[in-house]
Amino acid sequence: MEISTQLSNDLTEVLQGNPWYGPSVYEIIEQVSFEAAFEKPPGSVHSIAGILLHMISWTEEVIDRMNGLPSQVPSSGDWPDPGTPDEQKWQNYVSDLKLVNVNLLGIIQNFPKEQWTEHVTGVVENDPGTTFEALIKGLIQHHIYHSGQVSLLLRIID
């Protein structure tokens, strides 16, 4: 199986499939009300909305890197401020997460197979060089990690 196909399948499975570890990212996010999304339980550093914006930011940064831009902190920031609670805003964040991942899947599917082993441009602290394949695998892991955080926060809030 080609790398593009495998990575597309892996990302799709984590986002909306039936991953072996539990609910998909979208399944978890769909359980979150807008009231819960903006709540920050005592001792928690981030709200669910903040985590979702962080996931969006880093997906956008991965897209930029796949398009040849040098590695950097996401242009929208590492942890964008979700602002005040608002139902429409929450729905927009959920839609944005889905849209940015659709865009990424398109890039993955059309990425030249000879470039998967090339290194992403730019220097990230403590990173000797990340290949494009490792970049996508890392983002998949990032999505899994933060969806776990969302699940735990949702249990605390509800």
Side-chain angles (χ1 to χ4, degrees):
M1 182 179 300
E2 286 192 22
I3 293 172
S4 293
T5 303
Q6 184 63 55
L7 293 173
S8 292
N9 291 348
D10 291 348
L11 181 57
T12 300
E13 184 75 9
V14 165
L15 292 172
Q16 62 190 19
N18 189 23
W20 71 266
Y21 59 82
S24 68
V25 172
Y26 297 160
E27 187 178 344
I28 293 166
I29 297 298
E30 288 167 7
Q31 297 173 27
V32 180
S33 67
F34 88 91
E35 296 93 349
F38 290 88
E39 188 173 333
K40 195 184 299 182
S44 178
V45 177
H46 302 289
S47 66
I48 292 171
I51 293 169
L52 197 72
L53 288 176
H54 173 76
M55 292 170 72
I56 293 166
S57 290
W58 278 100
T59 305
E60 291 170 339
E61 174 59 22
V62 166
I63 288 171
D64 286 348
R65 293 175 189 187
M66 296 292 291
N67 284 322
L69 296 175
S71 300
Q72 62 179 5
V73 173
S75 59
S76 57
D78 188 12
W79 288 97
D81 182 5
T84 57
D86 178 89
E87 187 168 7
Q88 185 59 54
K89 189 188 310 182
W90 172 244
Q91 292 307 316
N92 290 344
Y93 293 164
V94 172
S95 295
D96 289 349
L97 180 69
K98 291 178 180 180
L99 179 60
V100 75
N101 280 290
V102 165
N103 292 338
L104 178 59
L105 282 164
I107 291 168
I108 291 169
Q109 291 163 355
N110 293 304
F111 201 71
K113 67 179 179 180
E114 65 277 359
Q115 289 184 8
W116 282 113
T117 56
E118 292 180 11
H119 288 83
V120 176
T121 59
V123 177
V124 177
E125 189 175 336
N126 299 322
D127 184 359
T130 300
T131 65
F132 287 103
E133 180 180 6
L135 179 68
I136 298 302
K137 288 179 177 180
L139 183 71
I140 291 168
Q141 294 165 1
H142 187 257
H143 281 347
I144 294 167
Y145 175 80
H146 287 301
S147 66
Q149 284 183 312
V150 169
S151 291
L152 290 173
L153 283 172
L154 197 52
R155 284 182 177 214
I156 292 169
I157 293 167
D158 280 347

